[in-house]
Amino acid sequence: MNVKVISRKVNNMDFKVIRVQNNNNFQVDLLNYGATIKSVFLNGKIMNLTPDNWSGFIDCAPFYGKTVGRYAGRIENGLFRLNDVQYELDLNNGGNCLHGGINTISNKLFNYRINQSEDNVEVIFYLHDEENLFPGDVDFKITYTIASNENSILIDYNATSNEDTILNLTNHTYFNLSGNYKKTVLDEIMYIDADRFTKLKENMCLESIEMVNEVMDFRTPKKIGQDIEHGFLQNHPTKGYDHCYVLNNRDFEEIKASLYDEESKIKLSVYTTYPCVVIYTCNYPSDKLVYHHKTVRKYDGVCFECQYMPNSINYSNETILRKGQIYHEKTKFVFESEECSL
């Protein structure tokens, strides 16, 4: 295992990239700004969308590779009630609060430390986030583990609060398995172990939880592009997949979703303890250039945002973190390729 720390001043902030390379030529670059998966390389080719320069991560709307919080997804009208107190959040997305609002932890510098052994490297990011619209001061610990002989990234989310609060954390990496963005993800084959999904209102918040229809069904793997131009998606502000899937179980040992590129012969498997995964297919691409000075096209990446259901604070208690309790969930991304030895 090879570990290297690269430092750079960006807008007077101390950016640090922790570069980890395992025994299979699998490289992961992690950034302390937003506790971010900056880039993933397999067989020398990049597997994710990432800004072409480090400053591109600052306040970037696509949330490239970032840890998202305090609350992933939308909170409708920016309102929620906890312990008989109503809280009003930033309205940063069409009248809703998205991904924690303006003060999102995605745009904060984390401290970090590195633990290295023969079997893996752990990069542990820490952040003390003080109360700001959301109740309570929260201590975050986001641990990335890269294994020596498995091409995988394990994300372990831990948090505690000094007051009752709400929390919903995820990672926002856009994957593209073609290698160096050779093509969009429309021809990549996706699987999702979910019988149900969230049908969305025009404001992109939950309308109902429904059984998957033909367009939304990925229980039998199919190409992302097979139904993406269907009116069910295109005659709606989503303009593609941007939906929460309710996973059939929370067994971490079972694959919850996968992606496969027939040309590169690379497969990504997703494991998680979370109850849901939000699939987003880069329907509204940013004008920021990405790696190799490329312009992002529509459908150039797909996110597997493992999390609790967005806006669920307004109809369930699953995202309430009580004072003294520990928030703990994990997600794992595993890459397999016929060109490398696993």
Side-chain angles (χ1 to χ4, degrees):
M1 300 285 284
N2 184 31
V3 181
K4 181 180 181 181
V5 178
I6 306 165
S7 302
R8 188 177 298 173
K9 278 279 190 182
V10 180
N11 284 24
N12 294 317
M13 292 184 286
D14 292 320
F15 273 35
K16 305 283 187 180
V17 165
I18 302 93
R19 175 165 295 167
V20 182
Q21 189 171 52
N22 75 0
N23 301 333
N24 300 321
N25 195 29
F26 177 66
Q27 178 182 309
V28 180
D29 288 357
L30 302 170
L31 175 65
N32 64 332
Y33 184 81
T36 296
I37 296 178
K38 180 179 181 292
S39 51
V40 181
F41 290 89
L42 184 63
N43 307 328
K45 297 178 180 179
I46 197 162
M47 296 287 114
N48 67 303
L49 300 183
T50 191
D52 195 47
N53 58 72
W54 292 22
S55 63
F57 285 98
I58 297 176
D59 296 329
C60 75
F63 293 87
Y64 288 125
K66 292 183 175 185
T67 298
V68 171
R70 289 187 181 187
Y71 205 95
R74 294 171 179 84
I75 295 180
E76 191 167 15
N77 301 318
L79 300 174
F80 73 93
R81 182 172 291 274
L82 178 64
N83 298 337
D84 295 324
V85 177
Q86 179 161 292
Y87 292 87
E88 298 183 11
L89 306 174
D90 299 317
L91 301 181
N92 63 326
N93 183 260
N96 304 307
C97 181
L98 176 67
H99 293 337
I102 296 170
N103 204 40
T104 173
I105 66 170
S106 302
N107 296 330
K108 296 183 179 182
L109 283 174
F110 285 67
N111 294 316
Y112 72 93
R113 65 181 172 88
I114 302 169
N115 294 335
Q116 186 170 357
S117 70
E118 290 185 5
D119 297 327
N120 59 54
V121 171
E122 290 182 342
V123 180
I124 307 168
F125 291 104
Y126 300 93
L127 176 69
H128 178 74
D129 189 54
E130 295 187 348
E131 178 180 347
N132 186 309
L133 300 183
F134 288 91
D137 299 342
V138 176
D139 287 300
F140 294 96
K141 184 175 79 169
I142 314 297
T143 302
Y144 289 99
T145 302
I146 293 91
S148 60
N149 288 305
E150 179 185 67
N151 295 342
S152 62
I153 306 168
L154 172 64
I155 312 173
D156 196 288
Y157 301 94
N158 276 270
T160 57
S161 177
N162 66 348
E163 296 179 27
D164 291 353
T165 191
I166 63 173
L167 209 57
N168 189 16
L169 304 176
T170 193
N171 178 273
H172 211 284
T173 299
Y174 294 75
F175 295 103
N176 183 318
L177 304 185
S178 65
N180 296 339
Y181 320 140
K182 184 177 180 180
K183 56 184 179 180
T184 70
V185 298
L186 292 180
D187 286 334
E188 294 187 357
I189 298 170
M190 186 163 66
Y191 161 77
I192 308 170
D193 182 22
D195 297 335
R196 297 175 295 158
F197 79 106
T198 57
K199 186 178 179 182
L200 302 176
K201 295 187 283 190
E202 290 292 311
N203 69 355
M204 301 290 287
C205 292
L206 173 70
E207 177 179 302
S208 58
I209 300 173
E210 312 226 342
M211 293 295 294
V212 291
N213 55 30
E214 182 179 355
V215 174
M216 304 302 296
D217 191 357
F218 285 90
R219 293 171 298 181
T220 298
K222 68 180 181 183
K223 290 184 177 181
I224 290 175
Q226 179 173 314
D227 298 308
I228 202 168
E229 297 299 331
H230 192 281
F232 181 81
L233 300 175
Q234 297 301 325
N235 296 333
H236 189 277
T238 55
K239 300 300 180 185
Y241 293 102
D242 190 3
H243 298 76
C244 178
Y245 283 83
V246 182
L247 298 169
N248 289 333
N249 68 74
R250 297 180 70 170
D251 183 352
F252 186 67
E253 303 302 318
E254 294 189 13
I255 296 174
K256 302 304 189 304
S258 66
L259 191 68
Y260 179 68
D261 189 290
E262 293 179 299
E263 188 173 336
S264 70
K265 301 191 183 304
I266 294 172
K267 181 180 180 181
L268 169 66
S269 298
V270 181
Y271 301 80
T272 192
T273 56
Y274 277 114
C276 299
V277 59
V278 172
I279 302 297
Y280 176 56
T281 49
C282 192
N283 310 321
Y284 291 91
S286 167
D287 59 359
K288 293 180 184 290
L289 295 179
V290 290
Y291 186 71
H292 280 330
H293 306 286
K294 292 195 175 181
T295 301
V296 182
R297 300 160 295 185
K298 189 176 182 180
Y299 310 140
D300 245 350
V302 57
C303 297
F304 295 89
E305 302 169 53
C306 301
Q307 59 182 273
Y308 301 112
M309 191 175 294
N311 196 41
S312 58
I313 184 56
N314 284 311
Y315 44 85
S316 80
N317 294 327
E318 68 175 356
T319 58
I320 295 176
L321 176 65
R322 298 293 181 186
K323 178 181 178 180
Q325 290 183 340
I326 297 175
Y327 181 105
H328 183 216
E329 300 290 354
K330 54 186 179 179
T331 294
K332 187 177 184 180
F333 299 117
V334 180
F335 295 82
E336 299 171 88
S337 170
E338 295 179 7
E339 295 184 30
C340 62
S341 174
L342 295 177

